[in-house]
Amino acid sequence: MNIWEWIDKLTKALQKLDSRIIVIESVLFDDKTNPDIPKPQHIGKIIDVSEWQGVIDWPSVIADDVTLSIIRVQHGSAHQDLKYMENLQKCISAGGKYAVYAYFAATSTSDAQQEARDFYNRTQKVVAGKQQPIFYAIDVESIEMSGDITQMRAGVEAYMSQLNALGVPDNKIVLYIANHLYDKFNLNVARPGAIWIPSYGQNDGTLANSLKPTHPYDLHQFTSKGSVKGISGNVDMSAEPSEKFKELIFSA
């Protein structure tokens, strides 16, 4: 091989190396190079609200890095949350992502079915034809079913099945389960789209000083003393969403 052939081969090798370096740099520093690679999604604050928060300034709430607001609709069938209509309307108008929840207070499986119908119908009374809730959460944190804890599973199953009949699939249903009653309730936790569990610890508004739930969860409600702009006083806050819970948020 003469000197000119050697130089030609060396030049071509350097050109190949340079093109590979460009490709590597584009992957590392240009997220437009490969659109198939998902960008990490930002998860801000997750709150749940009810009439106890009074009048809420929803634009200020959404602007304070609130990713999701979970809005109470009712406590059983008997009590319709006094602010739920206003909260739903104003959250949607402010461009916020939202879900809805209802406190389970059924005395029988038929009563659970009625609660589910009321929960759905009250929600749709406000949001029909508009942005739909990301999910329907059932708040199960006290012994109901006429005080028979062994019937809690049947009651919640009946509630979920009624929501199914109304067009809400299991993967759009979330169960909020009291940590200390989780085992006794014996709910079918494999059925809903996600499990949401409260566990506060010091309950000082910080995740750092909270205690993790002692059962598997997709969302951890860590305090009832959170603070968000646009809400006077305390607000429940949750964090540590699982990948499954993130899919619920960002698939909407």
Side-chain angles (χ1 to χ4, degrees):
M1 181 188 298
N2 61 41
I3 186 65
W4 299 113
E5 291 175 333
W6 183 85
I7 291 173
D8 183 61
K9 285 191 175 184
L10 179 61
T11 300
K12 289 178 179 178
L14 288 172
Q15 288 173 339
K16 286 183 179 179
L17 178 61
D18 185 60
S19 65
R20 288 174 183 171
I21 291 172
I22 291 171
V23 170
I24 291 170
E25 286 178 339
S26 66
V27 170
L28 290 176
F29 303 112
D30 184 3
D31 60 7
K32 296 178 182 178
T33 301
N34 189 350
D36 295 328
I37 298 176
K39 297 178 183 179
Q41 299 277 16
H42 171 70
I43 301 287
K45 299 169 185 174
I46 299 175
I47 63 172
D48 58 275
V49 301
S50 69
E51 63 192 56
W52 300 111
Q53 274 66 52
V55 177
I56 295 175
D57 178 353
W58 280 102
S60 294
V61 168
I62 305 307
D64 194 20
D65 194 29
V66 171
T67 295
L68 177 65
S69 303
I70 309 170
I71 297 170
R72 188 178 78 160
V73 172
Q74 65 186 39
H75 182 120
S77 284
H79 182 74
Q80 176 178 295
D81 191 285
L82 300 178
K83 291 290 183 181
Y84 97 88
M85 289 193 229
E86 177 182 336
N87 285 333
L88 287 176
Q89 290 166 344
K90 291 187 175 179
C91 180
I92 292 171
S93 295
K97 285 182 177 286
Y98 79 98
V100 290
Y101 82 94
Y103 193 100
F104 181 89
T107 58
S108 64
T109 54
S110 61
D111 193 33
Q113 292 169 331
Q114 184 60 55
E115 283 192 11
R117 287 191 292 270
D118 289 336
F119 182 22
Y120 180 82
N121 290 332
R122 284 168 175 163
T123 300
Q124 291 304 313
K125 180 179 180 180
V126 180
V127 306
K130 300 178 182 178
Q131 176 189 348
Q132 289 293 302
I134 291 173
F135 57 78
Y136 288 74
I138 309 171
D139 182 349
V140 191
E141 58 177 296
S142 59
I143 301 171
E144 304 298 335
M145 299 299 286
S146 299
D148 187 351
I149 198 168
T150 65
Q151 292 301 306
M152 289 294 292
R153 184 181 179 116
V156 173
E157 289 283 301
Y159 199 120
M160 291 182 66
S161 293
Q162 184 62 64
L163 286 178
N164 293 163
L166 293 166
V168 183
D170 284 344
N171 66 352
K172 294 291 186 180
I173 298 174
V174 169
L175 290 186
Y176 176 100
I177 309 173
N179 190 57
H180 67 292
L181 292 171
Y182 184 101
D183 289 327
K184 291 181 179 179
F185 283 157
N186 188 33
L187 303 183
N188 182 2
V189 295
R191 181 175 174 182
I195 301 299
W196 178 21
I197 299 181
S199 183
Y200 293 170
Q202 291 187 24
N203 196 19
D204 60 1
T206 69
L207 179 61
N209 289 329
S210 68
L211 292 175
K212 291 185 182 296
T214 55
H215 302 282
Y217 61 92
D218 296 294
L219 189 66
H220 172 197
Q221 187 187 76
F222 65 91
T223 186
S224 62
K225 296 182 179 178
S227 177
V228 173
K229 291 177 182 176
I231 295 178
S232 299
N234 296 327
V235 63
D236 295 343
M237 298 190 76
S238 299
E240 302 180 302
S242 68
E243 290 304 314
K244 186 162 66 170
F245 196 89
K246 290 176 185 177
E247 286 178 15
L248 273 176
I249 296 175
F250 294 113
S251 64

